[in-house]
Amino acid sequence: MCTGPTPPTGPDPRSTVPPARRAPRTARAAAAVALLLVAAAGCGDAGGLVGAGSTPTAISPDRLWPDLTPASSPAFEIGEVDSQTVAGVSVPGDDIRTVDPVALVRAEIREDPGSYAGGGYAETARRMADCGKPGAAGKRCPVLRPYYRDLTGDGHEDLTLGFRQLPGNVTAVRVYTVVKHRLVRVMHWEDAVSGVELAGHSVIIRSPSEVAGYEYRLQWTWDPQQRSMLLTHDEMLRTGGRAPGDGPSPAPSPSASPR
């Protein structure tokens, strides 16, 4: 058991010792204190530093095929930048809340009749007639609730719009902003969607994967130079929701946008 030094008792001897003889005693006392501190350290100190063990050696990445000529252009055109003025839809007072979301979807259907009028999303075109109707008929409208948030950082709200592409399980996601008194679409995507989030200047879309226990997570972020939402993250993340023996996830529709 470790104990501290016993304090001295009785009168202070320094009061009767001449100054010439007091200095050696002071030096001996300082040495004794140092020895006591060393001995106390042997009792253990919870606040002392503890070694973390050896540090692993950093390994630099290996560059493969250094003689391969770097590509200067993309192999496929996938439309990374999507900025398109919406024809036939006005923005009174530059207030995007005055724009009818149903009118936006109808404008897109007019621009792409091959996909909607007689194509794979003909059911969406038919159900647009139910938009605005009361009761159960109105619930058949494929246009989802709009959301308003400043995604471009200009201090004005932007519109995030979704609508179902029927038949099937594909959901279209669009983002619109106002540029010089005109409505401009700055992001579009369609896929089998399991969740959509707005965070800062980004739109995050989660989609199921054919690999059990994983999902896709795609993030579009506003780029002020391109004046558009760019796909800045494309990840495959583990969800932990299914065991490997639970079977595969539903595959995305063949008409979904390529990743």
Side-chain angles (χ1 to χ4, degrees):
M1 178 177 179
C2 296
T3 58
T6 303
T9 59
D12 187 354
R14 291 179 296 178
S15 59
T16 58
V17 177
R21 298 177 60 187
R22 193 178 302 167
R25 290 191 177 184
T26 303
R28 289 195 299 269
V33 171
L35 292 175
L36 289 174
L37 291 176
V38 173
C43 298
D45 185 5
L49 298 177
V50 179
S54 59
T55 302
T57 303
I59 301 177
S60 61
D62 293 329
R63 182 184 177 187
L64 306 185
W65 308 301
D67 297 332
L68 186 66
T69 303
S72 59
S73 61
F76 307 101
E77 179 65 35
I78 61 175
E80 291 93 343
V81 179
D82 174 55
S83 181
Q84 179 178 349
T85 301
V86 181
V89 180
S90 60
V91 190
D94 290 347
D95 184 2
I96 203 167
R97 286 182 177 265
T98 62
V99 178
D100 183 8
V102 175
L104 285 174
V105 178
R106 286 174 174 163
E108 182 170 329
I109 292 175
R110 289 193 302 268
E111 290 291 327
D112 190 9
S115 297
Y116 292 97
Y121 303 133
E123 183 67 18
T124 295
R126 286 193 293 267
R127 290 196 185 186
M128 291 300 296
D130 296 324
C131 296
K133 293 182 178 179
K139 294 181 180 180
R140 289 172 49 84
C141 176
V143 182
L144 305 177
R145 170 190 172 187
Y147 287 88
Y148 301 91
R149 178 179 293 189
D150 181 11
L151 296 174
T152 61
D154 61 355
H156 301 282
E157 290 181 324
D158 304 299
L159 169 61
T160 303
L161 178 63
F163 62 95
R164 302 302 307 276
Q165 293 185 324
L166 304 168
N169 64 340
V170 177
T171 301
V173 180
R174 310 285 190 256
V175 174
Y176 301 88
T177 189
V178 179
V179 179
K180 297 181 179 179
H181 314 297
R182 294 183 178 182
L183 190 68
V184 179
R185 188 185 70 191
V186 294
M187 177 261 178
H188 83 283
W189 186 255
E190 47 269 339
D191 203 344
V193 173
S194 57
V196 180
E197 301 171 3
L198 300 180
H201 297 165
S202 299
V203 178
I204 302 170
I205 299 178
R206 294 183 292 105
S207 300
S209 167
E210 64 276 8
V211 180
Y214 288 83
E215 70 175 5
Y216 293 108
R217 183 181 181 274
L218 293 86
Q219 176 176 330
W220 282 261
T221 304
W222 172 255
D223 187 281
Q225 294 182 348
Q226 299 297 328
R227 306 291 300 173
S228 182
M229 307 284 290
L230 301 185
L231 181 58
T232 53
H233 292 82
D234 187 350
E235 304 172 292
M236 189 175 186
L237 302 177
R238 183 168 180 82
T239 62
R242 296 188 306 273
D246 290 344
S249 305
S253 170
S255 57
S257 300
R259 287 185 172 83

